[in-house]
Amino acid sequence: MTTEKSGRRLFIPTLGSVYAALHDSAETILRVVAGVALVTHGLGKIGDPFGASGMVESLGFYPGAFWSLLLSCTEFFGGILIAVGLLTRPASFAAMIVLLVTVWFHWITMGQGYSGAEKSILWAAIFLFFAVRGGNRHSLDARFSREF
């Protein structure tokens, strides 16, 4: 027996219907969890959007006030957009860039190597997935029949 979409054979064919039934739901859960996690990181920053100015300047991003504001908005508002699936691709792309900067920060600047950057690598990969894939049928993008 084969799976419907891939044509591959399953070791346990009866699981094919389970996988098919949960395919979109699992993707939606991942998008919502990733978006909410990003909002959580941005929550502390959005209250003081210029508070990270010194930190971003120490990483070489000038002017710090601009990049701090952008970081705060990307994490907080971008996370909300990703969670609800509105403008999913550009919000996910922006989040991926933020996470790639944290990879560089932990791996290179802090000298922590892979072990210090591992979480950021995983989160960047998740946001890359949604930047390419979009919000799926359980998103506001789909409800509005418009995607970026």
Side-chain angles (χ1 to χ4, degrees):
M1 180 167 279
T2 61
T3 61
E4 221 173 277
K5 291 183 179 182
S6 68
R8 293 180 287 183
R9 293 173 26 152
L10 296 173
F11 284 107
I12 304 173
T14 55
L15 288 177
S17 60
V18 173
Y19 298 149
L22 296 177
H23 181 270
D24 286 346
S25 297
E27 186 178 319
T28 301
I29 290 168
L30 180 61
R31 178 177 45 79
V32 170
V33 168
V36 169
L38 193 62
V39 169
T40 303
H41 281 277
L43 197 55
K45 293 177 184 80
I46 203 69
D48 181 13
F50 302 107
S53 295
M55 185 270 297
V56 295
E57 283 186 355
S58 75
L59 295 174
F61 292 92
Y62 295 94
F66 170 77
W67 291 106
S68 179
L69 177 64
L70 195 60
L71 173 63
S72 300
C73 290
T74 299
E75 288 185 358
F76 185 75
F77 296 112
I80 292 170
L81 291 172
I82 292 165
V84 300
L86 180 63
L87 299 172
T88 307
R89 286 186 171 109
S92 295
F93 182 78
M96 180 193 68
I97 297 300
V98 167
L99 270 297
L100 290 175
V101 170
T102 66
V103 168
W104 174 70
F105 172 75
H106 287 286
W107 196 313
I108 305 299
T109 304
M110 298 298 292
Q112 298 171 339
Y114 177 78
S115 63
E118 182 178 9
K119 277 198 298 187
S120 295
I121 292 168
L122 289 170
W123 282 107
I126 290 168
F127 290 122
L128 171 64
F129 176 84
F130 289 110
V132 171
R133 183 82 176 222
N136 86 8
R137 67 186 181 102
H138 302 296
S139 68
L140 290 180
D141 290 334
R143 171 117 15 211
F144 297 140
S145 300
R146 296 291 261 186
E147 290 190 63
F148 197 85

